[in-house]
Amino acid sequence: MTIKMFGYNSTEEYYKDASCLRLIDRIHTPLLCINAIDDPFVDPDAFPTFTNGKFAKGPHASSSVILMSTKYGGHVAWLAEDQSLLFCERSWVDDICVRFVQLVLRHGTNKQ
C-alpha cells in the first residue's frame, strides 16, 4: 500500500530510499540506535552488521553513531525488570537513553 501511495515501483526501491545507510556517514551529532532482535515488525536480517568502524554492506559509519541490539525487547517494549506491561511507568530503554544523553553532555561531541 505504501509503495503505491508514494509512487515507488518496488519494495526494494522504497527501502533503498527510506534507508539511512546512504546518509549515516554524514552524522556528526551523537546518535544511539537501539533495536530488538525479536521485534515482530522488523526482520533481524535488516539490522546492519557493524565491525571495526564499518558496515558489512554499505558505507563507513560515523564515529558518532552507536548501534545497539538486544535479544529481547519486542517493538519498543523494553520493560524494566520491576515493571509489568499493564503498569509500565518506565522502560529499560528510557534509562539507557537518559544515560546516553548524560554522557554526551558530560563529554561533549566529536563534531567535525
Side-chain angles (χ1 to χ4, degrees):
M1 181 162 92
T2 301
I3 294 166
K4 290 180 183 178
M5 183 183 299
F6 293 101
Y8 291 101
N9 295 314
S10 66
T11 54
E12 292 78 17
E13 181 184 8
Y14 167 74
Y15 284 118
K16 183 178 179 183
D17 190 47
S19 173
C20 68
L21 285 181
R22 61 191 166 83
L23 303 171
I24 202 161
D25 61 334
R26 299 182 201 168
I27 295 173
H28 300 292
T29 300
L31 174 66
L32 175 62
C33 302
I34 307 173
N35 62 269
I37 293 171
D38 71 342
D39 185 332
F41 295 106
V42 181
D43 184 339
D45 291 336
F47 301 149
T49 304
F50 185 76
T51 310
N52 297 325
K54 67 185 241 187
F55 293 104
K57 297 177 184 174
H60 290 278
S62 164
S63 62
S64 297
V65 177
I66 297 173
L67 302 176
M68 181 179 190
S69 292
T70 61
K71 189 172 183 178
Y72 303 108
H75 191 69
V76 298
W78 290 276
L79 302 177
E81 285 184 37
D82 57 346
Q83 301 292 314
S84 70
L85 187 57
L86 185 59
F87 300 105
C88 183
E89 295 177 14
R90 66 181 178 82
S91 71
W92 169 85
V93 78
D94 295 332
D95 295 338
I96 294 297
C97 289
V98 168
R99 289 181 193 163
F100 178 74
V101 170
Q102 288 171 335
L103 287 170
V104 169
L105 293 174
R106 184 177 304 135
H107 297 286
T109 64
N110 292 330
K111 288 188 178 182
Q112 297 178 357

